[in-house]
């Protein structure tokens, strides 16, 4: 998922002191991220109540649309994407040639293994839920582009390597997302003799959604960082400007969730088991991708810091983009959109737990590695 708060030099502990590996992981998370699952649940409840208390809300939201997306929801989607992309250090992409092994391994895990695993889990665990299954496939294609910086810092990973991989994923999504969507939703199911996505599916719709909801904020984020650093310097930009705009992404996400659940209220309350079924493949996905990436990094002889960075970069997903694409392609009340909304509710607590796993594994599987953090995991 994308970073929802300010980018700090390192996570801080109580009183603003620099956090070490001995600081409890939850205490090192920024407050907004620490309670993100709580905010999401509250937004869901607020949306359900809004849908029941305001008759005709769906008609009001669809009165003004851009393409197939109502303007209020489109605004929420753009708001939650822009701060994320303003945080990416685009200038770091030039350093990728310094570690070809890390680069190639990350690209394979992110753009081959990750989507393929989500495709398999979606079909195995949701064979009778085509809309939710498609939503999960879209989630698998939306690679993490910023919140990995938080998980990476908490696990004491390689920050500069994380910045490079985040920047590459940002650019790669614009180029590859639509093509991979076409492959996993229509081509591969056809090869395997499985039902393809309905005739209403359009590769063009995915292209437009990616260009609008990723392309516009990506361009805005790139220009903001470039012009901001040129005018005031990187220190001012990252320590003064980013903390001011960072929370906007969370507000945009929560605003979108409120509207989604207001429109999906009847389906959700009548079939709560569907939400639980969507959560199961998500949980399996995070754990399996993280484990595969960690084992791969260790087997290739990477340091602990780079192995942690590789693992969290592969395990996280950009749910903002997945939600935007699902809404733009299939509609705001679709099962595909619901699958995207459930994502961050599962991702945050699971990846916090994987930070603990990473720190525990560091001292057991990387003896003598100078990048292993000191202190005990609590």
């Amino acid at each position: 998922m994308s970073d929802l708060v300010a980018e700090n030099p390192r996570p801080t502990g109580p009183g603003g002191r620099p956090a070490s590996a001995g600081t409890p992981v939850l205490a090192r998370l920024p407050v907004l991220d620490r309670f993100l699952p709580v905010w999401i649940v509250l937004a869901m409840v607020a949306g359900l109540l809004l849908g029941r208390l305001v008759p005709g809300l769906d008609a009001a939201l669809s009165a003004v649309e851009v393409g197939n997306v109502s303007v209020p929801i489109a605004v929420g989607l753009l708001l939650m994407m822009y701060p994320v992309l303003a945080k990416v250090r685009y200038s770091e992409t030039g350093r990728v040639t310094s570690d070809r092994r890390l680069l190639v391994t990350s690209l394979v895990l992110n753009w081959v293994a990750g989507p393929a695993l989500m495709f398999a889990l979606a079909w195995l665990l949701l064979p009778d839920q085509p809309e939710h299954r498609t939503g999960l496939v879209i989630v698998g294609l939306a690679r993490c582009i910023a919140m990995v910086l938080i998980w990476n810092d908490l696990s004491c990973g390689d920050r500069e390597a994380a910045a490079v991989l985040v920047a590459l994923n940002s650019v790669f999504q614009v180029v590859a997302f639509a093509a991979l969507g076409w492959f996993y939703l229509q081509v591969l199911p056809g090869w395997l003799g499985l039902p393809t996505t309905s005739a209403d599916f359009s590769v063009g719709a995915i292209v437009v959604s990616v260009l609008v909801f990723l392309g516009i904020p990506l361009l805005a984020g790139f220009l903001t960082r470039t012009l901001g650093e040129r005018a005031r310097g990187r220190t001012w930009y990252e320590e003064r400007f980013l903390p001011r705009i960072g929370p906007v992404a969370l507000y945009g996400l929560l605003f979108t969730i409120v509207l989604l659940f207001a429109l999906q209220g009847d389906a959700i309350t009548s079939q709560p088991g569907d939400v639980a079924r969507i959560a199961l493949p998500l949980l399996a996905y995070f754990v399996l991708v993280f484990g595969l990436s960690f084992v791969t990094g260790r087997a290739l002889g990477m340091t602990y810091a780079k192995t942690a960075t590789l693992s969290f970069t592969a395990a996280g997903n950009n749910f903002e983009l997945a939600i935007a694409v699902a809404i733009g392609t299939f509609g705001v009340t679709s099962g595909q959109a619901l699958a995207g909304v459930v994502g961050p509710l599962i991702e945050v607590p699971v990846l916090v737990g994987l930070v603990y796993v990473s720190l525990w594994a560091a001292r057991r599987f990387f003896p003598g590695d100078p990048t292993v953090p000191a202190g005990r995991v609590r």
Side-chain angles (χ1 to χ4, degrees), residues 144-157:
C144 190
I145 60 172
M147 196 167 184
V148 66
L149 298 176
I150 287 183
W151 312 127
N152 185 68
D153 276 353
L154 291 174
S155 62
C156 300

Side-chain angles (χ1 to χ4, degrees), residues 157-204:
D158 186 321
R159 166 168 280 195
E160 295 309 313
V164 171
L165 298 181
V166 162
L168 282 177
N169 275 343
S170 300
V171 176
F172 208 81
Q173 282 188 101
V174 176
V175 177
F177 193 101
L180 289 173
W182 168 72
F183 176 76
Y184 280 104
L185 294 176
Q186 292 196 323
V187 176
L188 185 57
W191 287 352
L192 298 176
L194 301 170
T196 59
T197 305
S198 69
D200 294 334
F201 168 77
S202 166
V203 174

